[in-house]
Amino acid sequence: MIATPIHPAMNLNGADTDTLVSAGHYLLAAYGACGGMRAERHTSSPAENSIRRELRDYATTLAKALHAAAPSSLLSLIPLYDVVCRAALGTAPAPDKLNDLRIRVIDAHLHGDASVSHAALASMLQPLLRTSPLLFGAGVLEYYTSLIDRWCRMLRYSDIFAGVASAENYQRFSILLSEDLSLYYAGTEEQTKRRWTTANICHNLQELDTAALRAYRRFVYAAPFDAVAFPTRDIMDRTIVAELMARPDINDFERAALQLVHFPETNIS
């Protein structure tokens, strides 16, 4: 039995991005908790069917929100919409539709929109350019590669990014740790990434604000396995999630989603 203290499918029209995204994460978590995310064929339970219907309604709400969303909001809405459509409708959104939205984000950043940071844009671009380097044209590829080059140069004499917020620091390292940097660190790439990881491990999570804590969670999973191995990685993640759930500035939907996924044995109140 899945406890449902809140009903994400209701009253989301006009919701702010944080509420909209967190509600989607909660619905996906609830859908997964009742078996809806299983790859193998199975007979759907009544709970699974009910949540799938909610997800379909939510997908419609999300599609409407995408058109009016600010570029910075699209950074979180686009990947969520992709997952929701796959879960609720059984098919991915049209790639051209998603790429048109991504181009809005790219153009906003290149025209000076400070709400789309270099690291946030690079995080969006990295998996796309890895498979299709010229997807958005040679200019965007050059922007991305020059950004990686600049970050590597900044780390010549330090293992942290000085003068930036902790969230930005961890975002940059999450990207670099997932990137092929053999051009910059021939023969020493693995050693360099282990050193960066060790230098940026946080020993007191309460020192991080909530944005930094979310970025740190991604950093931990991007870390090399010989620097943060299982089961240490999972233990660290549960500790980070517990700290996130205790934060007063996270959305109730997000807290409920984290609890369903990571602490399902605990009742949601």
Side-chain angles (χ1 to χ4, degrees):
M1 181 73 178
I2 301 169
T4 310
I6 47 184
H7 198 290
M10 296 174 63
N11 303 319
L12 287 177
N13 289 317
D16 62 86
T17 300
D18 182 48
T19 300
L20 194 60
V21 170
S22 298
H25 289 164
Y26 174 77
L27 273 173
L28 289 169
Y31 189 52
C34 65
M37 304 296 277
R38 285 182 292 174
E40 71 273 11
R41 296 178 63 87
H42 63 281
T43 301
S44 300
S45 67
E48 183 180 340
N49 289 330
S50 175
I51 297 173
R52 188 186 298 114
R53 286 192 293 270
E54 293 188 65
L55 273 169
R56 288 172 179 162
D57 291 341
Y58 175 79
T60 301
T61 300
L62 199 55
K64 294 177 182 177
L66 285 168
H67 294 291
S72 57
S73 297
L74 289 174
L75 288 163
S76 54
L77 291 174
I78 293 171
L80 176 60
Y81 182 65
D82 187 19
V83 175
V84 167
C85 285
R86 292 171 189 269
L89 308 176
T91 184
D96 288 348
K97 176 180 180 179
L98 297 187
N99 286 336
D100 286 344
L101 295 169
R102 292 172 179 129
I103 289 170
R104 281 176 51 194
V105 179
I106 295 167
D107 287 346
H109 174 83
L110 296 180
H111 286 86
D113 187 341
S115 68
V116 180
S117 70
H118 288 292
L121 180 57
S123 182
M124 182 191 82
L125 291 174
Q126 185 182 50
L128 300 167
L129 299 185
R130 183 174 291 153
T131 55
S132 302
L134 296 177
L135 180 62
F136 301 110
V140 172
L141 177 62
E142 182 179 356
Y143 161 83
Y144 179 79
T145 56
S146 65
L147 189 61
I148 297 299
D149 180 80
R150 178 152 58 92
W151 287 347
C152 288
R153 291 178 186 275
M154 292 172 70
L155 294 170
R156 280 180 174 177
Y157 306 108
S158 175
D159 291 331
I160 63 169
F161 287 100
V164 303
S166 294
E168 175 77 7
N169 179 71
Y170 285 124
Q171 279 185 306
R172 292 182 185 184
F173 275 115
S174 295
I175 294 163
L176 290 178
L177 291 172
S178 305
E179 191 66 42
D180 179 359
L181 301 178
S182 56
L183 178 65
Y184 303 97
Y185 305 100
T188 64
E189 180 180 2
E190 292 183 3
Q191 175 186 342
T192 300
K193 289 181 175 180
R194 285 196 299 270
R195 191 179 70 244
W196 288 344
T197 300
T198 301
N200 286 275
I201 291 293
C202 179
H203 299 286
N204 183 0
L205 297 179
Q206 294 183 352
E207 293 178 351
L208 301 178
D209 62 32
T210 301
L213 193 60
R214 292 192 182 104
Y216 180 63
R217 189 180 178 203
R218 292 189 290 272
F219 163 79
V220 168
Y221 269 94
F225 284 108
D226 56 355
V228 182
F230 292 114
T232 302
R233 188 179 302 250
D234 285 344
I235 294 170
M236 289 176 69
D237 188 59
R238 281 176 65 89
T239 304
I240 295 168
V241 168
E243 177 62 28
L244 269 175
M245 289 174 60
R247 295 293 174 95
D249 58 339
I250 76 163
N251 189 285
D252 284 343
F253 290 128
E254 181 180 0
R255 184 176 291 106
L258 290 170
Q259 187 160 354
L260 270 176
V261 173
H262 299 279
F263 300 98
E265 68 280 2
T266 308
N267 290 326
I268 303 175
S269 57

